[in-house]
Amino acid sequence: PSGATLGLQRRARCHLLVWRKCLFAVMEGPAAESATAREKLSFERRLSLSREAKERGNALVHEKSYNEAKRAYDEAFVYMFYSQEEYEYELTQTEKEIYQDFLLTLHLNRGLCKLKLRDFDGAKWDFDEAQRYAKARCVHGGVGHPKALYRRALTLMEMVRVELEKAARREYWDDDRTLQWCSESETDLRDALS
């Protein structure tokens, strides 16, 4: 992997560790007990707990409770967290595939929550991660996941809109970055349709 890819992977692991610590601090009851004993849980148990949290998040999305849904998806990520060494040496190839597919879905779902909450940078990061997992699994012919591409394009268009609103208020805005986002959103939409 390139230096940029390794840097992104390190930042992603760092984000997951921070989320894990934050969640441990706010979780109560069985979830906290399970989370603190996470290292002792089998892959199947982690996946089961994570699916329960994901389903809770899905129900909250249907209720339009995006902040609470995001927290549920964060909890699902905590259950599925593996260090690079754990991932490489403890999971079977089948478990790795299940793991990647599940994290792809979690990133799509949490990214939607962040998009609805207007956390555009966070949403873009989640959709970038979903794309990374989709490409690693060669989902949809290696182009990526259509839903991730579409949602990332929506996110980029919202980021462009925010920048254009700054320009209308005569505030500083980055026109080069805004043009790049326009181009990227167009490419994502084209790829989503292919």
Side-chain angles (χ1 to χ4, degrees), residues 4-16 19 77 99-111 114 121-137 139 144-145 148-149 152:
T5 302
L6 289 174
L8 183 62
Q9 289 172 344
R10 277 190 222 110
R11 284 198 313 265
R13 281 196 302 266
C14 186
H15 283 297
L16 285 173
W19 288 330
F77 274 107
Y99 175 85
Q100 290 174 354
D101 290 343
F102 190 71
L103 287 189
L104 186 153
T105 302
L106 285 178
H107 280 294
L108 285 173
N109 293 359
R110 187 177 63 186
K114 289 178 180 179
D121 290 328
K124 183 180 179 306
W125 185 84
D126 270 319
F127 299 137
D128 287 343
E129 287 297 293
Q131 273 299 95
R132 185 173 65 85
Y133 283 112
K135 286 182 176 181
R137 296 275 294 127
V139 174
H145 197 283
L149 289 163
R152 185 170 64 186

Side-chain angles (χ1 to χ4, degrees), residues 9 21 44 50 56 65 70 72 96 154 179 181 185 192:
Q9 289 172 344
K21 288 178 184 176
E44 293 79 17
S50 189
R56 198 169 54 255
S65 299
K70 186 182 94 49
K96 288 177 184 177
L154 290 178
L179 286 172
W181 289 338
S185 66

Side-chain angles (χ1 to χ4, degrees), residues 77-89:
F77 274 107
V78 169
Y79 288 125
M80 290 305 291
F81 177 77
Y82 283 92
S83 70
Q84 186 68 30
E85 294 77 21
E86 289 173 316
Y87 176 82
E88 291 294 327
Y89 301 112

Side-chain angles (χ1 to χ4, degrees), residues 19-194:
W19 288 330
R20 181 177 165 207
K21 288 178 184 176
C22 291
L23 284 172
F24 287 167
V26 297
M27 286 201 288
E28 299 175 1
E33 293 167 19
S34 295
T36 56
R38 184 193 57 78
E39 290 80 12
K40 300 174 188 169
L41 299 175
S42 68
F43 176 81
E44 293 79 17
R45 183 67 179 137
R46 286 185 191 194
L47 185 60
S48 174
L49 290 167
S50 189
R51 281 186 175 146
E52 289 173 18
K54 177 184 154 280
E55 292 306 317
R56 198 169 54 255
N58 291 350
L60 289 163
V61 165
H62 289 292
E63 296 172 8
K64 298 187 185 324
S65 299
Y66 299 112
N67 205 32
E68 290 80 11
K70 186 182 94 49
R71 283 193 205 113
Y73 295 133
D74 286 341
E75 183 181 335
F77 274 107
V78 169
Y79 288 125
M80 290 305 291
F81 177 77
Y82 283 92
S83 70
Q84 186 68 30
E85 294 77 21
E86 289 173 316
Y87 176 82
E88 291 294 327
Y89 301 112
E90 293 180 15
L91 297 183
T92 67
Q93 186 59 37
T94 302
E95 289 172 338
K96 288 177 184 177
E97 291 170 6
I98 293 168
Y99 175 85
Q100 290 174 354
D101 290 343
F102 190 71
L103 287 189
L104 186 153
T105 302
L106 285 178
H107 280 294
L108 285 173
N109 293 359
R110 187 177 63 186
L112 177 64
C113 293
K114 289 178 180 179
L115 179 60
K116 296 290 187 177
L117 293 168
R118 302 183 52 78
D119 175 7
F120 302 128
D121 290 328
K124 183 180 179 306
W125 185 84
D126 270 319
F127 299 137
D128 287 343
E129 287 297 293
Q131 273 299 95
R132 185 173 65 85
Y133 283 112
K135 286 182 176 181
R137 296 275 294 127
C138 294
V139 174
H140 301 283
V143 173
H145 197 283
K147 193 181 285 188
L149 289 163
Y150 176 73
R151 288 181 181 173
R152 185 170 64 186
L154 290 178
T155 302
L156 290 167
M157 287 188 279
E158 285 297 315
M159 293 166 81
V160 167
R161 189 182 56 72
V162 168
E163 289 298 306
L164 292 176
E165 287 173 356
K166 287 181 186 177
R169 293 189 306 265
R170 299 194 182 273
E171 295 176 10
Y172 172 78
W173 66 293
D174 189 336
D175 57 340
D176 290 333
R177 185 174 65 173
T178 303
L179 286 172
Q180 178 185 349
W181 289 338
C182 286
S183 175
E184 289 174 9
S185 66
E186 182 181 351
T187 300
D188 281 353
L189 287 172
R190 191 178 306 114
D191 290 346
L193 293 173
S194 63

